[in-house]
Amino acid sequence: MANLTFNVAGVSVSVNTADPNLLKELQEFNTNLRLVQTLLTNQPNSGGYLTDTAKVFGVSDSTVKKWTGKGMPVVKLDGMHDYYVYRNVIKWLTDNQVSLTN
């Protein structure tokens, strides 16, 4: 039996289930919910450099670098500096079911 809790707009919902398929779907929903909440509350503009991106998504610089190494889209400005378009980051995180943890 697993217990998942979701917090949306000040409302807390807990779900207890032993169904592995439902549990997986709820975990994916929770991941997507966190991404949307991050987008709506922390995104000051359309993109940023490494440290800005880490701050917007609430993770460390090394986590963003790890995501990039796993295929997250990045734009090489002037051939040296990585620039992250936030909508591309969100899409990649969602498509790859990546959680916002360090």
Side-chain angles (χ1 to χ4, degrees):
M1 183 72 68
N3 180 26
L4 291 174
T5 301
F6 304 93
N7 295 303
V8 181
V11 176
S12 181
V13 177
S14 292
V15 178
N16 289 310
T17 182
D19 181 342
N21 292 326
L22 179 59
L23 182 62
K24 183 176 185 249
E25 286 183 36
L26 290 171
Q27 288 170 331
E28 290 171 6
F29 172 80
N30 197 35
T31 297
N32 291 338
L33 177 63
R34 287 184 185 150
L35 289 171
V36 170
Q37 287 173 328
T38 297
L39 170 65
L40 295 176
T41 59
N42 296 335
Q43 185 178 346
N45 53 43
S46 63
Y49 293 104
L50 175 66
T51 300
D52 298 325
T53 301
K55 285 180 185 175
V56 165
F57 288 91
V59 297
S60 66
D61 288 7
S62 62
T63 297
V64 175
K65 288 179 184 178
K66 180 175 76 172
W67 293 343
T68 303
K70 290 182 176 184
M72 185 175 71
V74 62
V75 177
K76 293 280 188 187
L77 296 180
D78 69 18
M80 296 179 1
H81 297 95
D82 291 345
Y83 186 84
Y84 301 87
V85 178
Y86 295 149
R87 70 175 178 269
N88 294 343
V89 173
I90 291 166
K91 182 175 180 349
W92 185 85
L93 291 171
T94 302
D95 289 351
N96 292 276
Q97 298 177 7
V98 176
S99 65
L100 297 177
T101 58
N102 285 315

